[in-house]
Amino acid sequence: MPGTPSWRGTRAESAAPGHGGRPGARVRSGLGRIVRARRVKARRTRGRRLRHTLTALLVLVLTLVGAGLVAYRLTGIPKPHPETAMQSTVFTDTRGDYLGRRGPVDRQEVPLSQVPRYVQEAVIAAENRSFRTDTGISPTAIARAAWSTVSGGGRQGGSTITQQYVKNALLSPEQSLSRKAREALIAIKLDRTVSKNEILAGYLNTVYFGRGAAGIQAAARNYFGVDASALSVSQGAALAAVINIPSYYEKAGSDAAVTAKLTRRWEWVLDAMADSGAITPAQRAAARLPAFRFYPPGATDGQRQYLIDAASAEAADRLGITRDELARGGYTVRTTFDLAAQDAAAEPVADPTGAKGVVLHSAIVALVPGDGAVRVLYGGADYARQPFNDALAGAVEAGTALEPFTRVKLRPPLTALVKRAAPTPLSLAAAYAAAASGGTYAEPYTVQRITRDGRTLYTARPHTRTAMDPFSARLVAKLLHSAGGSWGVFTGGAGTRTLWQTMYDAKLSTTVALFAQHPAHGRHPARIAQLPSTATNTAANVVAGVMNRLDPVIVWPNQGARATSGG
């Protein structure tokens, strides 16, 4: 119409379809169309995408499983490290009391049959309670250790006994994912190829217990002074508790804080054993924390090293091997020595230093007449200061000590003895032992039996021969300064330089040799010194102490006061 405002037509035109409208509306409309289209497309392709995802996951799982199977097949069970296969050789006295050891490591293998069942169960309770039924690995422990390694956390434990054995004996101690994975594969394979008892035996013989002890046998001796077979329930639980932190718990018994902490873990082990039925409620109630041997030990007893040296040389000779081969061979050498008598002999001569720096040398030998077993072999005051054994190799002036043998007819090997101005204490002791046995000379020996892995490899048999006829043996006895009964005493020597004293009866013959020296100083070599005035009493006390210890039915009058000087 004429006169109608033109803006109305403009608004209508702008609102009409196809003329654009507002810009925001056009954008929203376009986005909506795109979203709706994508939704439709997503609904149409959802099944296909799900199939692709599942296929990818399946391929990944199959790849991992396949890689695991290939790795499992390619993984062999390595042989134990040479150091874990090494053993020490243990020496005991004639009663089986621990004397000492020789070898690169303090370890001796024992069959599982020699480890009490409750000790086995104590270790299982402490370290891996599912050991009897698991597959050799703990997946949760592996995952925990892997996460700790990746995240930079601390070292994680919790491995099974099988894994610990693999790590300790078959692999390096390196902490890495690759080593942990290999450890798991070997553990699984080991669990499938050998029995649980074989794995447990290997573990018990290689696991570290502190105090330098590798394996249950060395641990039993180092902590309690017994063999593994003699461990009590309480002792077995204590050793099982130690495995967790051996370098810390090894001080149990000498450190109050360590002992208190170990006590709590020991009780936890015992409770687990009682819950599993490994021990009875009565055994649990009766358990008391065992007494530990003191640690760290004091100074090494120098006397024992003389004994071990002598027995080691003889044992190697009897087996036809070197001393080094003996030391790392895992043997048990039962010697002829008596530790209590050895201590009784050493006590009177414990202080070898006399007045003005004079050193008193003592050599003591006690033999069984007619047999030759050496019960006492004192070769010096301290092996660390004097490794030379005066009893075996020392040449001591005989003087009048040989006088009884110069008046009778002798046969080998005693014929050579009277020609020696300075015999060894062992050779003179063997001669008097021959007189004590009626003329039968017995070759001295220090090794009674040698065993390994429960098998006896050597048993001593006395080597005897007639060295003098019975009449000559009786004549030697008459020449001794005796005092009743069936025993004899003789004291001789070379002036005031040496002193010999022998006491014997049909069961034991003990000889003591004493001499004194001024020790070497600067360019001046050692030289003979005069014996102190107390030497005769010292010798008498020594032989009396040994005889009373080993032959208690005989009462030696006045500690040898009836002995008289022969030179």
Side-chain angles (χ1 to χ4, degrees):
M1 289 181 63
T4 302
S6 61
W7 58 268
R8 291 182 179 177
T10 302
R11 178 181 296 176
E13 289 174 2
S14 65
H19 290 276
R22 294 182 180 179
R26 289 196 300 271
V27 171
R28 286 192 296 272
S29 176
L31 289 174
R33 287 194 299 271
I34 292 172
V35 170
R36 286 192 297 272
R38 288 184 176 180
R39 284 178 178 173
V40 171
K41 185 178 180 180
R43 283 194 295 269
R44 291 175 179 173
T45 61
R46 180 182 301 168
R48 184 172 58 189
R49 285 186 293 106
L50 182 60
R51 287 193 298 274
H52 288 168
T53 302
L54 292 176
T55 300
L57 288 174
L58 181 60
V59 169
L60 177 62
V61 170
L62 290 175
T63 300
L64 292 175
V65 171
L69 290 173
V70 171
Y72 177 83
R73 285 184 171 276
L74 294 178
T75 298
I77 300 176
K79 293 182 179 180
H81 295 308
E83 56 268 26
T84 61
M86 289 182 182
Q87 302 183 62
S88 60
T89 285
V90 169
F91 297 81
T92 69
D93 79 347
T94 187
R95 294 181 173 82
D97 293 333
Y98 182 69
L99 177 60
R101 72 173 182 89
R102 287 285 168 86
V105 294
D106 191 1
R107 189 180 82 87
Q108 270 201 315
E109 286 193 8
V110 290
L112 195 63
S113 59
Q114 291 185 18
V115 181
R117 179 74 179 201
Y118 49 76
V119 177
Q120 301 174 34
E121 295 301 327
V123 173
I124 290 172
E127 293 297 305
N128 178 197
R129 296 181 185 180
S130 64
F131 170 72
R132 299 286 184 190
T133 57
D134 63 33
T135 60
I137 64 169
S138 171
T140 56
I142 292 175
R144 185 171 61 249
W147 172 251
S148 177
T149 302
V150 171
S151 62
R155 178 182 174 182
Q156 293 291 319
S159 298
T160 65
I161 281 176
T162 307
Q163 287 176 267
Q164 290 184 56
Y165 172 62
V166 169
K167 178 180 66 177
N168 294 338
L170 309 181
L171 295 178
S172 69
E174 172 195 1
Q175 293 296 310
S176 67
L177 283 175
S178 60
R179 192 208 56 79
K180 196 71 178 176
R182 187 162 181 244
E183 171 192 302
L185 288 172
I186 295 173
I188 294 172
K189 201 161 196 176
L190 192 67
D191 188 81
R192 291 170 62 89
T193 54
V194 303
S195 70
K196 290 287 188 180
N197 279 347
E198 289 178 275
I199 295 172
L200 184 59
Y203 177 76
L204 289 174
N205 278 313
T206 55
V207 66
Y208 184 62
F209 284 88
R211 298 195 177 190
I216 190 71
Q217 176 74 344
R221 283 185 169 142
N222 287 5
Y223 281 88
F224 304 114
V226 300
D227 287 334
S229 59
L231 286 168
S232 67
V233 170
S234 293
Q235 290 170 336
L239 290 181
V242 163
I243 295 173
N244 180 245
I245 320 176
S247 60
Y248 176 77
Y249 288 133
E250 67 184 3
K251 300 179 183 66
S254 57
D255 185 305
V258 173
T259 304
K261 186 172 181 177
L262 182 64
T263 300
R264 292 191 291 272
R265 184 167 176 81
W266 170 77
E267 291 175 341
W268 172 75
V269 171
L270 285 171
D271 288 341
M273 294 175 68
D275 290 343
S276 68
I279 57 174
T280 65
Q283 286 176 306
R284 174 64 186 96
R288 297 292 182 272
L289 188 71
F292 297 90
R293 297 180 70 185
F294 187 79
Y295 187 84
T300 301
D301 181 2
Q303 280 304 303
R304 297 192 177 194
Q305 297 306 315
Y306 290 111
L307 306 183
I308 294 172
D309 256 7
S312 176
E314 184 175 321
D317 181 66
R318 296 291 183 265
L319 295 177
I321 59 178
T322 67
R323 292 197 207 183
D324 285 343
E325 290 172 328
L326 177 79
R328 61 176 182 263
Y331 301 93
T332 296
V333 179
R334 175 165 289 206
T335 70
T336 60
F337 305 123
D338 187 296
L339 283 177
Q342 184 79 20
D343 292 340
E347 187 175 353
V349 290
D351 183 8
T353 304
K356 298 180 181 180
V358 173
V359 177
L360 180 65
H361 287 262
S362 309
I364 307 167
V365 181
L367 295 165
V368 177
D371 180 277
V374 180
R375 296 292 185 233
V376 173
L377 188 69
Y378 182 98
D382 187 357
Y383 185 89
R385 290 184 295 177
Q386 178 197 305
F388 182 80
N389 191 322
D390 282 326
L392 289 179
V396 184
E397 284 186 279
T400 58
L402 282 173
E403 189 174 290
F405 297 99
T406 62
R407 303 184 184 184
V408 298
K409 185 177 180 180
L410 302 176
R411 300 175 186 172
L414 295 186
T415 49
L417 177 67
V418 295
K419 300 176 183 179
R420 299 180 62 181
T424 66
L426 180 66
S427 63
L428 189 58
Y432 276 109
S437 65
T440 299
Y441 176 86
E443 181 181 332
Y445 66 96
T446 63
V447 174
Q448 183 175 323
R449 186 170 66 249
I450 305 173
T451 59
R452 183 171 65 174
D453 298 332
R455 296 183 297 112
T456 298
L457 305 178
Y458 170 79
T459 301
R461 291 179 177 81
H463 294 279
T464 62
R465 69 183 76 174
T466 301
M468 64 181 84
D469 57 58
F471 175 80
S472 296
R474 288 195 297 271
L475 182 56
V476 170
K478 288 181 179 180
L479 291 170
L480 294 177
H481 301 278
S482 57
S486 60
W487 57 274
V489 181
F490 183 82
T491 302
T496 59
R497 300 185 302 276
T498 66
L499 177 78
W500 294 80
Q501 186 167 89
T502 294
M503 286 184 176
Y504 74 71
D505 70 346
K507 297 180 180 178
L508 191 70
S509 177
T510 301
T511 296
V512 176
L514 300 176
F515 66 96
Q517 276 186 327
H518 293 292
H521 179 69
R523 296 182 179 180
H524 301 286
R527 64 188 192 280
I528 295 294
Q530 302 299 308
L531 284 169
S533 59
T534 58
T536 300
N537 286 336
T538 297
N541 288 337
V542 168
V543 291
V546 173
M547 298 296 285
N548 284 328
R549 174 63 186 83
L550 290 176
D551 204 352
V553 297
I554 295 177
V555 178
W556 296 95
N558 235 355
Q559 294 261 321
R562 290 178 183 264
T564 59
S565 175

